[in-house]
Structure formats: structure tokens, C-alpha cells
Amino acid sequence: KNEQPTHALEAFEKVLEFPFPKGEAARQANLLLAQSQNTEPDPTRSLGHFQAAFDGIDSQNLWRAKWIDLNRARELVEQSLDVWMRANQHAAARALAEMNMRIAEPSRGTILLAQVLENQARFLRDPLGYERAGGKEKALADSRNLFLQAAAANSKAAETLTDPAQQSAHLWLAAKQNHEARDYVRVVELLSKFLAVSPNSDKSGEAWYLMGESLAALKRDADSLVAY
């Protein structure tokens, strides 16, 4: 049984050995090889296969693979994103999240990108992140910028979602991420929207507290007291 996956991978690699391999067979082989290699310490090979798999695809409507349908392709991408986020392979995760926008449902692709950005932002607040970024000051500056990008992605998702509960959830995430980045003007805007959409949320108490804190940071003391 242990030999079966190896034989399958060898078969996929042989598909790609043909001169100028193309078509859906090559696309599917690249996708499966990408997924099989996603735990390697260096994600370069896996990412390269993902790039080849999505070559020529700029819309989910162009996905025509016969044996790996669109939903399965999305699952394989999300599995690799999870592996790379847990392994702190942030550059590869972001590149794949951006590629995924070609085949994902629009809101889902944006949400996954936000998760990848926040994952890296939090990593950069750890001493290991300081070292990888080339120093604490740069790491924290990069972290703030990534939180802002994650917040923008969640705000965009909230605008496209039609379900009130999901919309509320992503407004909340965006507000929290902007708070992490100390963009208090944007925090106030988003929390106002959140409280309008979900006035009875179990997070409303925390939302009002963050609102008060953000207003205080903006020197709007009277408004801050009302929020508190």
C-alpha cells in the first residue's frame, strides 16, 4: 500500500516528461505533484507545480480538468495553504493564495488571502519573526502593514458577502486587524458598521470597548466616554 502513492507520483512525473506537456493531463499532474510536495522544507518545487497547474487560468470558468474538478482543485490549494501557514512558509503561502483567486469563489479567495496575511503579521511579532525580517523594528513595521492588508481583504469580503452573519464576522475581523495596526480611524468606521449589522452580537460589549479605546486614541474624549 505504501508503494501506491509513489507509483502514482512517478506516473504524474512521466506525464510531464513528454516534450512540451500541456493540456488537462499536465495540469492535473502538476496539481497533484504540487500537493504531494507541499511538506518539503523548501516549497519551491511545490509552488512551481502550482504555477504550472494554473498557467492560462484566469477565471474559475476556464477550469476544465476532467479527473480533478474545480471543488477538488480548491481543496488541494487550501490544504497546501494550511501546511505552509503552519510551517511559516509565508512567501509561498501568499503566492499560492494570490494564484487561488483565479479559481476560488471571489469571497472565499479574499478570505483565504486575509488569513495568510494575518498569519505572517502575527509571526513577525515573535522573536523568530524579528530574526527573519532582519530586526525587530522592520519586523514590527512589516507586521503592521500586513495587518492593514488583511483588514482590507476582510473588508472587501464583507462587502461581497450577502449573509448578514458572515458579513458581520468579516467586519469584526477587519476591525480587529486595523486595531492591531493602530489605524483607529478605520477601526471606528468598521465597528460602527459591525454594530449596525449585529447590535445584539455576543461581541458587542468588546466592540464598544474597542470603539471607546480607539476614540480615545483619536482624542475624541467625549465620544469615547459614551462608547465606554
Side-chain angles (χ1 to χ4, degrees):
K1 289 183 179 178
N2 292 335
E3 294 179 357
Q4 290 176 357
T6 301
H7 292 329
L9 295 177
E10 288 174 354
F12 300 145
E13 288 169 347
K14 286 187 180 300
V15 169
L16 302 181
E17 288 175 3
F18 291 110
F20 309 107
K22 41 184 155 175
E24 299 314 315
R27 192 180 303 287
Q28 292 169 124
N30 273 302
L31 190 57
L32 291 170
L33 285 167
Q35 194 269 345
S36 73
Q37 295 165 357
N38 65 17
T39 57
E40 293 180 354
D42 182 348
T44 303
R45 281 207 312 164
S46 179
L47 187 61
H49 283 301
F50 274 120
Q51 290 167 334
F54 294 134
D55 184 44
I57 300 289
D58 57 17
S59 164
Q60 58 181 300
N61 297 327
L62 295 178
W63 188 265
R64 297 284 188 270
K66 182 178 179 181
W67 297 291
I68 302 178
D69 66 16
L70 187 58
N71 287 333
R72 181 58 179 153
R74 291 166 173 167
E75 287 175 5
L76 293 175
V77 168
E78 293 198 25
Q79 288 170 12
S80 291
L81 283 175
D82 183 61
V83 168
W84 286 343
M85 282 192 286
R86 285 188 284 108
N88 295 322
Q89 297 285 5
H90 304 294
R94 179 164 185 169
L96 182 56
E98 290 171 347
M99 275 188 265
N100 184 51
M101 300 291 283
R102 306 180 200 176
I103 65 166
E105 291 290 346
S107 58
R108 181 62 181 164
T110 304
I111 289 165
L112 288 169
L113 178 59
Q115 290 175 1
V116 168
L117 294 167
E118 179 172 357
N119 178 260
Q120 184 176 9
R122 294 199 179 281
F123 171 77
L124 288 171
R125 292 188 173 183
D126 181 90
L128 183 59
Y130 303 163
E131 182 181 346
R132 190 175 294 185
K136 182 176 180 179
E137 184 176 351
K138 184 176 186 305
L140 294 178
D142 289 348
S143 174
R144 180 178 185 275
N145 185 47
L146 286 161
F147 271 119
L148 289 172
Q149 291 178 54
N154 272 312
S155 297
K156 182 178 178 180
E159 291 171 3
T160 60
L161 291 164
T162 56
D163 178 72
Q166 291 184 346
Q167 185 182 48
S168 172
H170 290 284
L171 285 170
W172 174 252
L173 286 172
K176 293 275 285 185
Q177 289 160 342
N178 273 300
H179 188 266
E180 292 279 4
R182 301 188 302 281
D183 185 347
Y184 298 116
V185 171
R186 188 67 176 139
V187 173
V188 171
E189 292 174 359
L190 289 165
L191 287 178
S192 297
K193 290 181 181 179
F194 170 79
L195 290 164
V197 172
S198 302
N200 300 315
S201 166
D202 59 359
K203 294 183 174 65
S204 60
E206 185 180 357
W208 281 114
Y209 181 84
L210 290 177
M211 177 83 82
E213 189 176 70
S214 299
L215 289 165
L218 295 169
K219 310 299 184 187
R220 292 171 56 182
D221 295 335
D223 292 333
S224 175
L225 288 172
V226 172
Y228 280 133

